[in-house]
Amino acid sequence: MAKIKHILIVTRSTHYCKAAVDYGLSLAKENQAKATVIHSIYNPFHLKGINMALTSLPMLEDEYTRMQEEARNDLDRMIEKEKSEGLEVEVVIGHGEPDEDILNIVREKGIDLLVLRAHEEGVVEHLIYGRANEKLIRKMPCSILLVKDEPGARVS
């Protein structure tokens, strides 16, 4: 088995992706690997097919900035213990198309393993996040660990 040296952990909602962060950080500790955590959501200015008045843009931009700040604070709290124990962890807040941001980091940093939450997307999630998991699985040059943490998930 190949040695895991650098793990990229993807979050889209820090609340719902905590299990993926926990898995990724645990694997990084066990393998004495670096960990990078990216909070990746679509920039609302890139959403396709939404018509909004220009007067809405400043409010939307403020909300997007607030969401990014909250994500960084949440992630800093999640990784605080691991960092204090000497684990090398970097936090990145994505700014564009999530699959492109993630793929760029994988290539630039030589990521060995991508960890992300497996979930079924509803209509609202599809609008906000797109079909990023499907795109990532097809494009990824490294291995992927999908963390299943949905309540009531069943194996058939």
Side-chain angles (χ1 to χ4, degrees):
M1 184 167 150
K3 173 110 172 96
I4 297 172
K5 298 176 188 166
H6 200 158
I7 298 171
L8 178 60
I9 306 159
V10 177
T11 73
R12 292 191 183 97
S13 160
T14 52
H15 176 73
Y16 293 109
C17 293
K18 185 168 181 355
V21 173
D22 291 342
Y23 267 88
L25 293 177
S26 293
L27 286 170
K29 277 193 258 187
E30 287 177 26
N31 289 279
Q32 298 175 344
K34 295 178 189 174
T36 299
V37 181
I38 180 170
H39 180 73
S40 180
I41 60 170
Y42 277 102
N43 180 333
F45 298 107
H46 293 193
L47 287 176
K48 298 173 182 89
I50 294 181
N51 296 320
M52 67 181 91
L54 291 177
T55 56
S56 301
L57 291 179
M59 183 178 69
L60 187 57
E61 188 173 34
D62 290 344
E63 177 65 14
Y64 182 65
T65 301
R66 185 191 61 74
M67 288 169 57
Q68 289 179 310
E69 289 169 2
E70 284 180 13
R72 175 163 298 276
N73 292 336
D74 287 348
L75 290 172
D76 285 343
R77 280 190 295 275
M78 281 186 216
I79 65 174
E80 183 178 10
K81 180 179 179 251
E82 284 75 11
K83 284 183 95 170
S84 71
E85 293 173 354
L87 183 64
E88 190 176 340
V89 184
E90 175 187 11
V91 172
V92 175
I93 304 296
H95 296 287
E97 297 288 326
D99 57 319
E100 291 173 17
D101 287 345
I102 293 164
L103 190 56
N104 287 337
I105 289 174
V106 167
R107 290 181 176 147
E108 289 169 10
K109 297 185 179 287
I111 299 295
D112 303 300
L113 179 66
L114 179 70
V115 177
L116 62 142
R117 180 175 179 252
H119 64 283
E120 293 193 25
E121 297 166 341
V123 174
V124 174
E125 283 181 311
H126 179 64
L127 176 65
I128 296 171
Y129 303 126
R131 293 270 186 222
N133 280 8
E134 291 175 17
K135 291 177 187 176
L136 289 173
I137 290 168
R138 285 194 306 266
K139 294 179 181 181
M140 216 34 59
C142 66
S143 295
I144 301 171
L145 172 64
L146 296 173
V147 177
K148 186 79 170 175
D149 67 342
E150 293 177 1
R154 289 182 240 155
V155 177
S156 5

